Amino acid sequence: MPGVLITLEGIEGSGKSTQLGLLKERISKHGLPYVCSKEPGGTILGKELRSLLLEPHSSGKKWCTMAELLLFFADRAQHLEEVVKPALHAGQIVLIDRFEDSTRAYQGAQGIPEEMLSILRQLVMKDFRPNLTLLFDADPIKTLERANSRNSAKNGFAETRFDNEAISFHQSVRQEFLKIAVQEPERIFVIKADEHPEEVAERVWSAVKPKIMAAGFLLEPSSKPVRVLKQRSW
């Protein structure tokens, strides 16, 4: 596909959403066409799944781990078909806040066997993979402090139910992410996320720039309006 797929991953409070915003600004300054989305919830239907998956249910009930896993992959199948692949075919730079590595890390930390994750990945994605994955790595104790501060600004409302998980769970998720990075070093670029956001942004750009240049995108500053075809805000 003529486009470039870049995914951003990390535990809660790792700063990936902030870095996504800074990366969008940088791409915009170069006048490059891009699509910005997220998982779960990158489509209209997926937005409903996001609510089911990430918001605590009023009944107090929780999805069993297998049902939760299948819902994440259902969201991904719709997202790929409706947003990601069409944008790549159109020659867009696609930026996604969380993708398949989050499923591997979070559901892996909940005890889903790697073999099961691989089977579902092959079923839904086949050989499709991001061109680049930015993994924002930091101590879960620090990132949860950041997440709690963010939630306090929202009157204590947790952004997702994972914010309320024990620190041991977040430590396990971090280790799952790092394990994936060791397995796929050619795709995953690990960035220490506990530095100043502007310093982190420079490291992000040092990883992103070669990928988009290799795909034929010109990085000369442009005075023309930025052409954003399907920017997703949910």
Side-chain angles (χ1 to χ4, degrees), residues 138-151:
D139 184 343
I141 295 177
K142 294 181 179 179
T143 62
L144 285 180
E145 288 177 357
R146 183 185 298 172
N148 290 334
S149 297
R150 174 193 67 202
N151 296 338

Side-chain angles (χ1 to χ4, degrees), residues 6-203:
I6 300 171
T7 58
L8 290 80
E9 301 281 11
I11 60 177
E12 309 302 317
S14 60
K16 60 182 175 51
S17 297
T18 297
Q19 291 303 319
L20 176 61
L22 294 173
L23 181 56
K24 284 162 52 179
E25 285 183 24
R26 200 153 203 170
I27 290 175
S28 294
K29 288 179 180 178
H30 288 290
L32 301 175
Y34 72 94
V35 170
C36 185
S37 193
K38 69 181 178 182
E39 288 195 1
T43 64
I44 295 297
L45 296 176
K47 187 177 180 181
E48 297 182 23
L49 282 176
R50 181 180 180 86
S51 176
L52 288 172
L53 283 163
L54 299 185
E55 296 178 10
H57 196 273
S58 58
S59 67
K61 296 289 186 179
K62 294 183 178 180
W63 295 103
C64 71
T65 53
M66 184 56 66
E68 181 179 78
L69 175 66
L70 294 173
L71 286 173
F72 273 116
F73 270 102
D75 171 82
R76 182 159 304 121
Q78 184 71 20
H79 191 212
L80 286 169
E81 181 72 17
E82 185 177 331
V83 177
V84 179
K85 289 185 177 180
L88 292 173
H89 278 299
Q92 307 294 295
I93 298 170
V94 181
L95 308 174
I96 305 181
D97 186 344
R98 293 203 184 284
F99 195 56
E100 196 255 343
D101 293 311
S102 277
T103 303
R104 294 169 69 182
Y106 279 81
Q107 274 57 61
Q110 293 180 34
I112 295 290
E114 191 168 334
E115 295 77 9
M116 178 62 69
L117 294 169
S118 297
I119 290 170
L120 288 172
R121 178 167 71 249
Q122 182 63 27
L123 178 66
V124 173
M125 300 174 60
K126 298 182 172 59
D127 295 327
F128 184 85
R129 295 291 184 276
N131 298 96
L132 173 68
T133 295
L134 303 168
L135 173 57
F136 298 93
D137 179 52
D139 184 343
I141 295 177
K142 294 181 179 179
T143 62
L144 285 180
E145 288 177 357
R146 183 185 298 172
N148 290 334
S149 297
R150 174 193 67 202
N151 296 338
S152 295
K154 299 179 180 180
N155 298 319
F157 180 75
E159 189 168 279
T160 76
R161 60 181 175 79
F162 289 111
D163 288 354
N164 298 322
E165 293 285 350
I167 186 65
S168 58
F169 173 76
H170 294 281
Q171 290 168 335
S172 296
V173 173
R174 181 193 187 190
Q175 292 307 312
E176 292 292 331
F177 271 128
L178 293 175
K179 181 171 72 174
I180 297 168
V182 170
Q183 294 170 346
E184 301 185 53
E186 72 287 349
R187 174 176 67 86
I188 300 176
F189 189 84
V190 181
I191 299 173
K192 294 299 181 183
D194 51 4
E195 298 178 353
H196 192 278
E198 291 184 0
E199 295 179 4
V200 175
E202 288 303 315
R203 297 193 180 192

